Amino acid sequence: MKKLYMKIDLKILEVKGPRKLKGTKVIATDLRGGASLLIAGLIADGVTEIESSEYILRGYGDVDKKLANVGAKIKVTE
């Protein structure tokens, strides 16, 4: 069985695991769980839609803009 590998540098987070993640529709139910879904969505192939993203947006100020500044493709809609 392949193992998860994670390397953290000051500007790079590299994650390698046994399977690729695929984008899907998910629901954030709290701040930390929502942040985890956001990170997983950035790693995943395809599009990830996060419902109830207000937890993330309220808890991490301007997270969408900050991640966009480092190359993430994020779109916040009502």
Side-chain angles (χ1 to χ4, degrees), residues 9-42:
D9 194 316
L10 290 178
K11 295 182 181 180
I12 298 170
L13 170 65
E14 181 180 339
V15 179
K16 294 182 182 180
R19 297 188 185 118
K20 290 202 177 243
L21 297 176
K22 295 179 185 175
T24 190
K25 194 172 200 177
V26 296
I27 301 172
T29 57
D30 60 39
L31 176 61
R32 290 187 183 109
S36 297
L37 293 171
L38 176 61
I39 292 168
L42 291 170

Side-chain angles (χ1 to χ4, degrees), residues 25-60:
K25 194 172 200 177
V26 296
I27 301 172
T29 57
D30 60 39
L31 176 61
R32 290 187 183 109
S36 297
L37 293 171
L38 176 61
I39 292 168
L42 291 170
I43 295 168
D45 289 335
V47 176
T48 299
E49 267 184 57
I50 304 175
E51 285 188 30
S52 301
S53 60
E54 61 271 8
Y55 292 111
I56 305 164
L57 297 171
R58 186 175 59 229
Y60 298 101

Side-chain angles (χ1 to χ4, degrees), residues 2-8 13-18 43:
K2 292 182 181 180
K3 295 188 179 188
L4 177 68
Y5 164 79
M6 186 180 299
K7 175 183 174 186
I8 302 174
L13 170 65
E14 181 180 339
V15 179
K16 294 182 182 180
I43 295 168

